[in-house]
Amino acid sequence: QVQLVESGGGLVQAGGSLRLSCAASGRTFSGYTMGWFRQAPGKEREFRAAIRWCGAGAYYADAVKGRFTISRDNAKITVYLQMNDLKPEDTDVYYCAAGRLYLSQTYYSPDNYDYWGQGTQVTVSS
């Protein structure tokens, strides 16, 4: 079965760093896009970053540009989100997602992703 398993969340002070991991399994992901989103109670899922399993290019929400870096390890079938200079407003549950996005589809829309992990809590204290 297809599974996405997040890890690496936790509690950090403002200005600190965390690295989230998302281990994928259950199918071949060539041609897929992996995204990181966050979601708070009562709010919609919000795009943070995305990368393709194959090819070049990474994409970021304006709020995290220069602070977050998405990367992948194709041998381990794992995608990472390195989060630096964390701010209290980054606090949320973070989810990884995978989708076979087509040319006309946007990487920042959660509706375009097919598989989701269970989420990992990130808390940034002031």
Side-chain angles (χ1 to χ4, degrees):
Q1 301 295 325
V2 173
Q3 282 193 300
L4 304 177
V5 181
E6 302 101 330
S7 62
L11 172 65
V12 297
Q13 296 284 329
S17 298
L18 285 173
R19 188 183 72 166
L20 306 185
S21 299
C22 179
S25 63
R27 68 166 299 134
T28 299
F29 289 94
S30 59
Y32 277 69
T33 296
M34 180 71 88
W36 283 99
F37 293 77
R38 71 175 187 176
Q39 186 173 27
K43 295 185 178 180
E44 300 292 327
R45 293 173 184 170
E46 186 177 17
F47 171 76
R48 298 287 88 178
I51 193 170
R52 293 188 179 276
W53 286 105
C54 301
Y59 311 93
Y60 299 94
D62 289 343
V64 306
K65 288 180 179 178
R67 297 191 297 121
F68 291 9
T69 302
I70 188 170
S71 62
R72 68 185 185 224
D73 186 330
N74 291 70
K76 295 181 178 180
I77 320 178
T78 299
V79 173
Y80 304 94
L81 185 67
Q82 179 67 45
M83 304 186 294
N84 297 326
D85 191 24
L86 283 162
K87 304 175 181 179
E89 51 263 43
D90 294 319
T91 295
D92 222 327
V93 178
Y94 283 72
Y95 298 86
C96 63
R100 188 175 177 84
L101 275 62
Y102 298 94
L103 185 61
S104 62
Q105 295 179 304
T106 55
Y107 52 82
Y108 54 80
S109 174
D111 293 337
N112 294 329
Y113 293 81
D114 302 308
Y115 306 106
W116 294 86
Q118 295 299 307
T120 185
Q121 177 70 49
V122 171
T123 302
V124 184
S125 64
S126 59

